[in-house]
Amino acid sequence: MITVRIVQDTRKEKKDGTFPVKIRIADNKNSWRIGTIVSLTIADFGLMMLTGAKDLKSSPANVKNDEKLTAKEKKTLSDKHKQLAVYKRKLDELVVKAYTIIDQRYPFNFKTFSVRFNQKGSRSDLIFLLQNKSQELERNEQYGSSMLYKQAANALVDFANSLNKKVIEISEVSPKWLNTFEKWALREQKKQKVKGTENHFEFKPRFSATTISMYLIRVRAIFNELISNQELPAYHYPFHKYENRNGYKIPRSNNNRRPLEIKAIMDIFNYEPTTQGELFAQDMFIFSYLASGMNPVDIFKLHWTDIIGNQFEFIRKKTRNKTGGVNKITIQLNEHLWSIIKRHGSEKALSNYVFKIFQNEDSENEILRKTRTAISKVNINLKKIANKLSLDKDISFYYARHAYSNNLMNSEVPIAFISKQLGHTDIKTTQNYLDSFSQSNAVDYQKNLLDNSKIKPKNK
């Protein structure tokens, strides 16, 4: 049986002669103490514990004979007792809170208990948990992830408002509930001004299937964390998995982007830029393509110290925390990559970064802002290049990664090598990432289904 009570820690006296008041949690074998903001003398603690809030307020003479007190002393005691009554009420509320948390969980785990006990807000509210995770990531300077959790929370706030609710209880989130949210999000519209007009507006979908997937992946992460911390029983997991075939499946984004084949890549490679913006966009695209589909943020954050001889190593920022910093990707620096570094590189003596995107003193927040700006400029100029080359694709920076993997696959490079160079920890991720073979290869492979030299003509 677990007990909760108010205690005074008399092991170390403070300078003002008081001792801290704590909440003691104990089972049959162990005990833990959780600090509070209250600190009292031994006499005041005894008075607070012996007398209820009502008695403290009405009986200011529990310590001295009332007749011997002056009016000023009576006033001082009365104020003290009122304050002690406030302390007792707040401490009693903490005891109730502790028992409430204990009753909601089994078996008892003090680490999980202390997280819930010390945290403001309700850990049974999904919106709060998403907001809290966003703040945690922001404190760790993981601003991109923090923003996704914040946006997911904002979407759920709007959904809750549509249901005339202020919170979303974890207990109500089921496969059916998640399907309802998905349908609501797909129906949501936003009013948008038509470009080139003054008073004409149109309504467009507020959330794409990709955006909804990204938000629900964050919701799933919250459930995984709750179950891992033993704050939620595993049977309440609402998402699809092998043991729970009836769970909700997060919709996969519609990937309509077809990979750029070698001909289109060579057109971009041989293009003659007309502006510095086009030159930078072209070079960053080719750098990404030749460097194993390297993501923009990893290119921009490349350090001179990462380059050793004619190669460099890096760990994808996207998966660094998941892999524990061990999934390194090695890139061989050929003449084309070196020439791009020469055109756009910084001076080693002045900057730690290879490319001139960041300053040494930039914070993670500033790095994120500059990364978004640089990617936006690259994408704008890539679209200009695509139009001039009459490419039938609205390409962006990320097409380089997609093209890298697919063109290697079409060249019959082992998928294990492609997976390693993409920084994937699971080869299934690579298989899902890769697109279909090019049509020309498909025709060639079809020919291998039969030995044409041994086909006998059939009578008509």
Side-chain angles (χ1 to χ4, degrees):
M1 180 179 177
I2 301 172
T3 60
V4 184
R5 62 191 181 95
I6 304 166
V7 299
Q8 189 173 35
D9 190 347
T10 56
R11 292 174 296 183
K12 189 173 182 180
E13 184 178 3
K14 292 187 175 182
K15 291 182 180 181
D16 61 358
T18 64
F19 296 89
V21 177
K22 298 183 177 181
I23 303 297
R24 183 178 184 271
I25 317 294
D27 59 17
N28 294 330
K29 297 180 180 179
N30 304 299
S31 66
W32 305 268
R33 298 186 182 191
I34 296 178
T36 71
I37 62 171
V38 181
S39 186
L40 300 170
T41 63
I42 293 176
D44 284 346
F45 177 77
L47 178 61
M48 181 188 71
M49 296 300 293
L50 285 172
T51 314
K54 182 178 179 181
D55 296 329
L56 281 172
K57 187 175 181 180
S58 60
S59 305
N62 285 319
V63 182
K64 295 183 180 181
N65 188 324
D66 207 12
E67 295 178 356
K68 297 179 181 179
L69 296 175
T70 65
K72 185 176 181 179
E73 287 174 326
K74 286 181 180 180
K75 176 68 167 58
T76 301
L77 275 178
S78 179
D79 290 343
K80 176 190 281 189
H81 288 184
K82 287 178 181 178
Q83 183 60 57
L84 289 175
V86 171
Y87 287 154
K88 184 61 165 60
R89 185 173 67 252
K90 289 186 177 297
L91 290 166
D92 284 341
E93 289 173 356
L94 292 178
V95 171
V96 172
K97 179 181 179 181
Y99 273 121
T100 301
I101 295 171
I102 291 168
D103 290 343
Q104 290 175 349
R105 297 190 57 263
Y106 185 85
F108 179 79
N109 176 283
F110 180 71
K111 181 179 178 181
T112 301
F113 169 85
S114 62
V115 169
R116 296 193 67 182
F117 185 84
N118 290 316
Q119 197 168 55
K120 295 180 180 179
S122 172
R123 286 189 65 81
S124 64
D125 176 17
L126 178 57
I127 294 172
F128 166 77
L129 291 169
L130 287 165
Q131 293 169 337
N132 186 70
K133 187 67 177 180
S134 174
Q135 293 167 2
E136 177 189 324
L137 291 166
E138 186 174 1
R139 288 193 295 271
N140 293 334
E141 295 188 334
Q142 295 173 261
Y143 296 105
S145 296
S146 172
M147 183 59 68
L148 280 172
Y149 276 92
K150 184 177 181 180
Q151 290 170 344
N154 291 341
L156 288 180
V157 167
D158 291 342
F159 179 58
N161 288 337
S162 74
L163 302 174
N164 295 319
K165 293 184 175 183
K166 295 295 182 184
V167 300
I168 295 176
E169 295 290 338
I170 285 289
S171 59
E172 69 178 291
V173 179
S174 63
K176 182 179 180 181
W177 186 96
L178 289 164
N179 273 306
T180 302
F181 168 75
E182 180 189 335
K183 290 176 182 177
W184 170 85
L186 288 172
R187 288 195 307 266
E188 280 292 282
Q189 301 282 311
K190 62 180 179 181
K191 190 176 180 181
Q192 187 171 302
K193 189 175 181 180
V194 178
K195 290 183 178 180
T197 67
E198 293 185 3
N199 300 313
H200 292 285
F201 297 88
E202 60 184 353
F203 287 90
K204 290 191 173 182
R206 180 181 170 191
F207 305 108
S208 67
T210 300
T211 301
I212 295 170
S213 298
M214 290 169 66
Y215 292 167
L216 288 175
I217 286 170
R218 272 71 206 172
V219 172
R220 184 177 63 187
I222 293 294
F223 272 86
N224 287 334
E225 187 173 302
L226 289 173
I227 291 172
S228 177
N229 291 339
Q230 299 181 359
E231 294 181 70
L232 189 72
Y235 63 77
H236 193 73
Y237 190 70
F239 293 90
H240 180 275
K241 59 179 179 179
Y242 181 79
E243 304 85 3
N244 182 25
R245 299 296 179 90
N246 294 324
Y248 170 80
K249 284 187 177 181
I250 295 177
R252 296 178 68 175
S253 60
N254 295 323
N255 185 8
N256 296 320
R257 294 179 301 172
R258 306 298 295 172
L260 295 170
E261 296 185 358
I262 298 295
K263 181 182 182 305
I265 292 294
M266 293 310 300
D267 286 344
I268 296 172
F269 184 90
N270 293 320
Y271 174 75
E272 292 292 337
T274 58
T275 65
Q276 280 298 313
E278 286 187 353
L279 175 63
F280 183 73
Q282 177 193 41
D283 280 344
M284 289 300 100
F285 184 88
I286 295 300
F287 193 97
S288 175
Y289 178 74
L290 295 178
S292 300
M294 196 172 180
N295 283 336
V297 65
D298 295 318
I299 295 175
F300 299 159
K301 294 187 79 170
L302 188 64
H303 283 64
W304 285 112
T305 52
D306 296 325
I307 299 177
I308 301 175
N310 280 326
Q311 69 177 36
F312 67 85
E313 290 185 336
F314 75 99
I315 301 171
R316 291 183 70 203
K317 182 180 184 297
K318 184 177 180 180
T319 58
R320 186 177 293 121
N321 293 332
K322 295 179 182 178
T323 61
V326 297
N327 201 25
K328 289 186 177 181
I329 301 170
T330 302
I331 304 297
Q332 301 299 322
L333 282 166
N334 58 31
E335 58 179 308
H336 306 299
L337 293 174
W338 273 123
S339 63
I340 291 171
I341 290 174
K342 184 176 180 180
R343 280 194 292 274
H344 305 284
S346 63
E347 294 184 37
K348 282 187 182 181
L350 300 177
S351 178
N352 297 329
Y353 296 103
V354 173
F355 294 106
K356 304 173 186 177
I357 308 295
F358 313 131
Q359 301 295 322
N360 291 340
E361 63 274 12
D362 283 347
S363 66
E364 279 298 319
N365 205 15
E366 185 67 10
I367 285 173
L368 178 64
R369 186 190 66 79
K370 288 183 177 180
T371 298
R372 287 173 174 168
T373 301
I375 292 174
S376 177
K377 290 180 178 179
V378 167
N379 286 338
I380 288 171
N381 282 286
L382 282 176
K383 287 175 175 56
K384 291 179 181 178
I385 293 172
N387 287 332
K388 292 179 180 179
L389 293 173
S390 299
L391 297 178
D392 60 348
K393 294 177 176 63
D394 192 19
I395 66 171
S396 66
F397 211 139
Y398 293 96
Y399 268 73
R401 182 171 177 82
H402 207 49
Y404 165 82
S405 57
N406 276 274
N407 289 338
L408 281 188
M409 181 182 69
N410 287 336
S411 299
E412 300 184 21
V413 172
I415 193 171
F417 173 80
I418 300 173
S419 184
K420 180 181 181 300
Q421 290 304 104
L422 290 175
H424 293 162
T425 56
D426 187 344
I427 203 165
K428 290 182 180 179
T429 305
T430 312
Q431 290 171 330
N432 291 333
Y433 193 82
L434 294 170
D435 210 325
S436 60
F437 288 93
S438 68
Q439 187 60 34
S440 59
N441 278 345
V443 171
D444 291 337
Y445 294 143
Q446 288 277 9
K447 293 178 180 177
N448 296 328
L449 293 174
L450 296 171
D451 185 346
N452 294 320
S453 65
K454 295 183 179 181
I455 293 177
K456 295 180 179 180
K458 292 187 177 181
N459 296 325
K460 294 184 180 180

